[in-house]
Amino acid sequence: MHTTIAIRFAGAATALAAGFAASAQEGKQLYEQKCAMCHATGVAGAPRPGNAADWAPRLKAGKAAVYRNAVQGTARGMPPKGGNADLAESAVRAAVDYM
């Protein structure tokens, strides 16, 4: 019985890891295609990927607030969903996670 449980757990863990990998790849691809034009250089104060100083004040409000700003847009110039209303919220979140 323990062997069966271990095999099921291993299978579930592998599937979960594959889901995270797909999400990370989706986030990277979306960033490169749609987000980099502003975020790579920090246009209009856009937080740059990997720049802790840019992200710290935003993350202070919590990751949910960062997701909300990416999805709904901000008064400082971030358009809702980066200007692509057809994007799924999960794709926008993946791009935020990538950054």
Side-chain angles (χ1 to χ4, degrees):
M1 179 164 167
H2 293 291
T3 302
T4 302
I5 291 171
I7 291 171
R8 286 186 184 164
F9 179 76
T14 300
L16 186 59
F20 284 135
S23 181
Q25 182 60 33
E26 177 185 31
K28 180 179 187 232
Q29 184 177 17
L30 179 59
Y31 168 79
E32 290 171 351
Q33 292 174 353
K34 304 290 182 188
C35 309
M37 67 180 68
C38 294
H39 285 274
T41 59
V43 169
R48 294 165 291 171
N51 187 308
D54 286 357
W55 287 98
R58 291 162 175 87
L59 290 171
K60 193 173 188 180
K63 200 165 187 179
V66 176
Y67 287 147
R68 184 176 53 254
N69 288 340
V71 171
Q72 297 176 1
T74 68
R76 292 177 54 183
M78 171 70 188
K81 296 184 177 180
N84 187 345
D86 294 332
L87 284 175
E89 187 171 328
S90 61
V92 176
R93 286 175 175 240
V96 168
D97 290 342
Y98 174 75
M99 286 189 263

